[in-house]
Amino acid sequence: MPRSDEAEWWFNAVYAAVQEIPRGKVTSYGHIARLLGQPQRPRQVGVCLKHLPSNEPGTSHYYHSDNVPWQRVLNAKGMISHRGPGSAARQAAALRREGVRVDTDAMGEMYVDLARYGWFPDRLPSEEGLTEEDSEDEDGEGEGESESESERVGG
DNA sequence: AGATTGACTCTTA
DNA sequence: GTAAGAGCCAATC
């Protein structure tokens, strides 16, 4: 839980941005920071995700691990950093569940091929095409996604 | 209240 | 190619 309103804005902005990562795609902490106009703070993106609450019953958080695809955020090299035993495997499993291939390198580190799964747009889709006239205005979002992935590996 | 940590990344050497 | 330093700042000790 953020200690200040400014921090709370940041938390919400990060969660909202992460929600825009398409299913089956991944991006980096640094890119989320850039999309939010704070290219110097990839770390704080990680801080936000660390504090992303679970969907445990009894809690009623607007953002939680079930509606924020935290697993789609990797480091700049496309590698899953381990922040605890089993956490990296958990993220890898979540990614594979949505069709993302996760490999392991020679050093035992798990990674995703960014050339294939990377999602690095210039700006957030929600901001796409809007001018400075329209400012930030969040409205309710609809859940429920039906996807039809057709994986094809381009040589 | 001060020091350290950490879901990061970039620049230098 | 690897290693170290800087920047960032909320959370934690």
Side-chain angles (χ1 to χ4, degrees):
Chain A
M1 201 166 168
R3 315 274 277 154
S4 70
D5 293 338
E6 214 168 321
E8 187 175 329
W9 170 87
W10 174 255
F11 271 65
N12 289 331
V14 168
Y15 294 149
V18 171
Q19 282 184 326
E20 300 200 43
I21 307 172
R23 187 183 178 81
K25 294 288 183 179
V26 299
T27 192
S28 70
Y29 300 96
H31 194 74
I32 292 295
R34 263 183 300 235
L35 288 173
L36 296 177
Q38 297 294 333
Q40 315 182 158
R41 299 196 268 182
R43 274 203 137 171
Q44 272 53 262
V45 173
V47 170
C48 295
L49 292 182
K50 176 163 83 174
H51 289 271
L52 179 65
S54 312
N55 64 334
E56 298 174 23
T59 64
S60 58
H61 293 104
Y62 188 84
Y63 294 109
H64 51 78
S65 55
D66 258 17
N67 63 14
V68 177
W70 53 271
Q71 72 274 18
R72 296 175 197 158
V73 186
L74 312 172
N75 72 19
K77 290 180 276 197
M79 302 201 294
I80 301 175
S81 354
H82 14 222
R83 55 268 186 197
S87 57
R90 210 167 49 97
Q91 182 167 3
L95 283 172
R96 289 197 253 248
R97 213 167 293 139
E98 54 187 68
V100 175
R101 194 180 73 182
V102 181
D103 294 312
T104 304
D105 68 9
M107 303 177 45
E109 305 282 351
M110 291 189 288
Y111 69 96
V112 171
D113 181 7
L114 293 182
R116 182 175 166 184
Y117 299 104
W119 181 78
F120 301 99
D122 215 16
R123 47 186 16 140
L124 288 168
S126 62
E127 301 178 322
E128 193 58 59
L130 75 71
T131 61
E132 56 193 82
E133 187 178 350
D134 286 316
S135 58
E136 66 278 22
D137 180 48
E138 305 295 333
D139 55 6
E141 72 297 322
E143 285 300 318
E145 43 198 352
S146 43
E147 69 292 334
S148 57
E149 28 289 58
S150 302
E151 298 297 331
R152 40 183 62 84
V153 196

